Amino acid sequence: MHYIGIDLAWTYANESGICVIADNGEIVYCESQVFSDEMIAAIVAEHAQEGAIVGIDAPLIVNNETGSRYCDGAIMREKIHGKNLSVFNCSKSFMLNHYGVVRGEEVVKAIKKRMPAFSLSGHLTNKKHVIIETFPTGITLGLFPDAFPVKYKIKHKIKFETTKTEMGRMVNLLKRLSDFNPPVHNIEDFFSDSLGIQAMSKKGYKNLEDKLDAFLCAYASYWLANHKGKVFGDDQDGFITIPVKDENEVRDGKSEKVKVYNKLIRDKIPQIIEDSGKKAIIEKVSGPEYLDLLNAKLGEELQEYLDTQRVEELADLVEVVYAILDYKGVSRQEFEDVRKQKVEERGAFRDKLLLKEVIDD
């Protein structure tokens, strides 16, 4: 058996994530790219010869022309580990008007065309080839309620640096799965570079996010093959299935007392933390990793200044620039000479000039 997770893009232009976990608890495939429905079906068929549960993050049954599906409302009305979930409410008219297709339905058709043995059902008992609808936020709450919510999704009003810190926290949570039943043994082969997350561009980060969501869907399928989860809705008008750990197996919340940062800090910060009665876990970095983190810090400090317009944020920005110069072996005087040369050749910004147009005669 294999357990396949698909973080499905709702349009054909965007990347989807696909992850496959084998029955021995090893991740054997994890990728994010632009996939056609046929490409997805081919990957599923390749790994489903001996049976597979496929968990897809996308609406797979949308019969209602307007309003919302019953399963969407049902999952939001129920408290899971004492907390509520929020899901996207969809209708057929909304999906067609905004995306031109209900892509989840099309992917299910493509998979069943290649392998007619597959059925779409929230109930997994004695089924060897089955497709379920699930979603990563619900999986996270069901499996890691003591750490929920983990806000690693890119949002317009949330600073990217904050989002990356949350992703580092999510990656650390995944390491718990080596002790879960069933366990996953090689998570760090695919999701180990939590320090490098801080240096990621938004494109690279989105690629990681899609792969992580696909992994969560794959693990949900793996977990649900071994335990009874919660099913909201039905096979006729739409369902959502998520794993929910037994209350007796849930951690006591101590993990919330650990704040994960994974970013460069000034030299005296560890002592300041210790003086406050807390413990700082630090690690010295060097080489290209150090430069990547400096570059990430540069972006962080620039955003801090843009958000606050405070002069002290500019001081932080300059301190990072000095650290980059030191890494590159460039002295302050050499850097000042470069600055003066550019002023000599191209001027400064003292005249407050705004270039509006260039007309080519």
Side-chain angles (χ1 to χ4, degrees):
M1 284 282 288
H2 283 88
Y3 307 95
I4 304 171
I6 302 173
D7 179 43
L8 186 66
W10 291 9
T11 70
Y12 291 100
N14 293 337
E15 291 188 358
S16 296
I18 303 179
C19 181
V20 183
I21 301 174
D23 217 12
N24 64 357
E26 301 283 334
I27 302 170
V28 296
Y29 180 90
C30 195
E31 188 56 76
S32 176
Q33 65 181 64
V34 176
F35 291 104
S36 67
D37 296 343
E38 291 71 25
M39 291 169 67
I40 293 173
I43 292 170
V44 170
E46 177 185 351
H47 294 282
Q49 296 304 314
E50 302 300 321
I53 299 174
V54 182
I56 302 179
D57 176 24
L60 304 184
I61 302 172
V62 186
N63 294 330
N64 51 303
E65 287 297 329
T66 59
S68 62
R69 301 183 301 169
Y70 172 81
C71 60
D72 297 331
I75 197 169
M76 289 192 288
R77 286 190 294 271
E78 181 159 336
K79 284 190 179 295
I80 299 169
H81 294 305
K83 300 177 182 179
N84 288 105
L85 285 166
S86 177
V87 301
F88 181 82
N89 291 290
C90 66
S91 65
K92 190 173 289 292
S93 61
F94 177 87
M95 298 293 283
L96 294 178
N97 289 337
H98 286 79
Y99 303 105
V101 66
V102 182
R103 194 179 178 195
E105 294 182 343
E106 298 306 311
V107 165
V108 170
K109 290 177 187 175
I111 293 172
K112 293 175 73 173
K113 182 177 180 181
R114 274 187 176 264
M115 297 192 74
F118 269 104
S119 61
L120 177 59
S121 175
H123 301 280
L124 308 183
T125 306
N126 298 323
K127 287 187 169 65
K128 195 174 180 182
H129 292 85
V130 64
I131 303 167
I132 63 171
E133 179 181 332
T134 187
F135 79 117
T137 304
I139 297 165
T140 303
L141 175 54
L143 298 179
F144 308 113
D146 61 302
F148 188 84
V150 189
K151 299 180 180 180
Y152 64 91
K153 301 283 189 180
I154 294 177
K155 301 288 186 182
H156 177 66
K157 294 184 179 180
I158 299 176
K159 292 180 182 178
F160 187 36
E161 300 304 321
T162 301
T163 303
K164 289 193 284 190
T165 297
E166 286 288 281
M167 175 62 84
R169 192 160 73 93
M170 188 71 229
V171 168
N172 281 335
L173 286 173
L174 296 186
K175 295 176 183 178
R176 289 189 194 175
L177 296 179
S178 61
D179 297 321
F180 269 39
N181 176 26
V184 178
H185 306 297
N186 61 337
I187 290 167
E188 293 190 0
D189 292 345
F190 294 87
F191 303 104
S192 61
D193 194 15
S194 57
L195 280 174
I197 291 169
Q198 290 295 331
M200 283 184 172
S201 66
K202 284 193 174 181
K203 182 177 180 180
Y205 184 94
K206 188 63 172 67
N207 184 271
L208 173 63
E209 180 189 311
D210 292 340
K211 288 191 286 190
L212 188 141
D213 283 347
F215 169 76
L216 287 172
C217 292
Y219 185 76
S221 300
Y222 190 26
W223 193 94
L224 289 163
N226 293 272
H227 307 277
K228 184 178 180 180
K230 282 186 175 279
V231 182
F232 301 88
D234 57 44
D235 297 356
Q236 183 64 38
D237 291 312
F239 65 89
I240 300 172
T241 305
I242 61 171
V244 179
K245 289 186 70 174
D246 186 278
E247 293 288 350
N248 295 326
E249 298 178 3
V250 172
R251 291 197 179 194
D252 60 9
K254 290 181 180 179
S255 64
E256 283 298 333
K257 297 180 181 179
V258 178
K259 291 186 177 180
V260 179
Y261 289 93
N262 288 327
K263 65 179 183 179
L264 286 180
I265 55 175
R266 287 178 177 264
D267 303 331
K268 294 183 180 181
I269 295 299
Q271 187 59 52
I272 293 172
I273 292 172
E274 298 286 342
D275 291 345
S276 72
K278 300 177 183 178
K279 184 177 181 180
I281 307 299
I282 62 172
E283 174 186 341
K284 285 195 174 183
V285 292
S286 60
E289 182 183 17
Y290 176 52
L291 181 59
D292 286 344
L293 290 168
L294 280 172
N295 290 335
K297 191 70 174 176
L298 191 69
E300 177 188 339
E301 299 299 352
L302 174 59
Q303 190 61 53
E304 289 284 349
Y305 169 71
L306 294 174
D307 290 343
T308 66
Q309 299 290 303
R310 293 164 62 182
V311 172
E312 65 184 73
E313 301 297 347
L314 286 177
D316 290 338
L317 191 64
V318 171
E319 199 63 48
V320 178
V321 170
Y322 285 164
I324 293 173
L325 292 176
D326 290 343
Y327 176 85
K328 292 179 177 290
V330 178
S331 70
R332 306 286 195 276
Q333 187 56 56
E334 288 174 314
F335 181 64
E336 181 64 11
D337 291 343
V338 171
R339 187 194 69 79
K340 287 180 178 178
Q341 184 178 349
K342 294 204 74 170
V343 171
E344 183 73 22
E345 294 173 353
R346 305 176 72 84
F349 298 96
R350 288 185 287 270
D351 291 343
K352 306 173 185 175
L353 303 176
L354 172 66
L355 178 64
K356 300 188 71 173
E357 296 180 5
V358 174
I359 299 173
D360 189 353
D361 292 332

